[in-house]
Amino acid sequence: MSVYTGLTQSSINSNRQHFPRRSLLRIKKNALWQIENGFVLTYTYLEDGTTVALGLWGPGDVVGEPLSKMKPYQMECLTTVEATILAVDNWYQLTDTLLHHIHRAEELMLIRSHKKVEAMLIQLLAWLSKKFGSQVEQGRLIDMRLTHEDLAALISSTRVTITRLLGQLEQEGLIDRLSLNRIVVRQEDIWYYEI
């Protein structure tokens, strides 16, 4: 079901588009993208070129420049993405969408508030597994193909640090790293991990 309730089903189907992995969703004035399949990272840049992740979105989520005051604002497809363009003619109908955006941003802010990068990474993996993961025998599979650089951007760290910490978490049996940057989080173990 669409979070945005202002469109008919026929207009939604006629506006569905496909985007390859690592491509950008086009910025549209007075329009949003509803993600049908795949995952999208929204981000901006600081003056020094540092990437700052603004959010991570999946099926059912809505993204677009009208929901942000950040300039520049980019929407990168982390996987192959199928998305529907939503014209924003009736802003009053966006209440649920806006509340969802606020809640997701708050969750990411809380993860970033930890003092140690290790704590941020553990909380991020737990959050990703809860929001976007699927249950498998060993735990919860995060099948988003997030690179170490993607994870670093989400918590304002470096790729080298994330690579080191993922290796440490794997060695301690808290996660399993699979091919194509997929991660299995041993949910019960990760929540009790002491930093």
Side-chain angles (χ1 to χ4, degrees):
M1 182 178 138
S2 172
V3 176
Y4 180 75
T5 57
L7 294 177
T8 64
Q9 190 61 40
S10 62
S11 65
I12 287 173
N13 289 336
S14 68
N15 293 317
R16 191 168 289 185
Q17 297 180 32
H18 297 272
F19 299 89
R21 182 174 191 267
R22 295 296 175 188
S23 65
L24 297 176
L25 292 179
R26 291 181 296 283
I27 301 292
K28 302 257 188 188
K29 301 295 180 192
N30 295 321
L32 301 170
W33 291 101
Q34 179 166 7
I35 302 164
E36 306 297 337
N37 291 301
F39 299 97
V40 173
L41 175 69
T42 55
Y43 62 91
T44 190
Y45 293 103
L46 300 179
E47 299 81 28
D48 66 1
T50 303
T51 301
V52 178
L54 301 173
L56 186 58
W57 313 97
D61 291 331
V62 176
V63 295
E65 191 177 49
L67 296 174
S68 177
K69 288 198 174 269
M70 296 294 131
K71 302 288 184 217
Y73 178 82
Q74 298 290 317
M75 301 172 288
E76 182 179 359
C77 300
L78 296 177
T79 61
T80 301
V81 170
E82 185 178 343
T84 304
I85 192 76
L86 305 174
V88 184
D89 297 327
N90 299 313
W91 285 97
Y92 68 89
Q93 295 176 331
L94 284 174
T95 303
D96 289 340
T97 300
L98 295 173
L99 287 174
H100 181 75
H101 245 68
I102 290 167
H103 294 157
R104 184 69 55 85
E106 287 176 341
E107 290 169 348
L108 204 50
M109 266 193 308
L110 184 61
I111 290 168
R112 289 182 182 153
S113 69
H114 292 276
K115 303 253 186 274
K116 294 182 177 181
V117 176
E118 185 176 15
M120 283 190 274
L121 180 60
I122 289 169
Q123 292 300 312
L124 177 65
L125 292 174
W127 181 75
L128 289 170
S129 71
K130 180 181 173 190
K131 291 287 181 192
F132 304 112
S134 58
Q135 192 65 42
V136 294
E137 188 176 324
Q138 302 85 1
R140 293 199 51 90
L141 172 65
I142 304 169
D143 190 9
M144 299 175 69
R145 295 180 142 196
L146 291 169
T147 66
H148 295 186
E149 192 170 338
D150 293 331
L151 292 170
L154 284 166
I155 59 175
S156 300
S157 184
T158 65
R159 183 198 54 77
V160 172
T161 300
I162 296 304
T163 299
R164 179 180 55 79
L165 289 174
L166 286 173
Q168 179 183 327
L169 293 174
E170 184 175 35
Q171 189 174 27
E172 294 172 10
L174 298 173
I175 65 170
D176 292 321
R177 292 190 289 177
L178 308 175
S179 62
L180 302 174
N181 293 320
R182 296 173 303 149
I183 298 172
V184 174
V185 176
R186 298 185 184 278
Q187 200 70 18
E188 293 175 10
D189 295 338
I190 206 160
W191 286 113
Y192 299 109
Y193 183 77
E194 289 189 32
I195 299 167

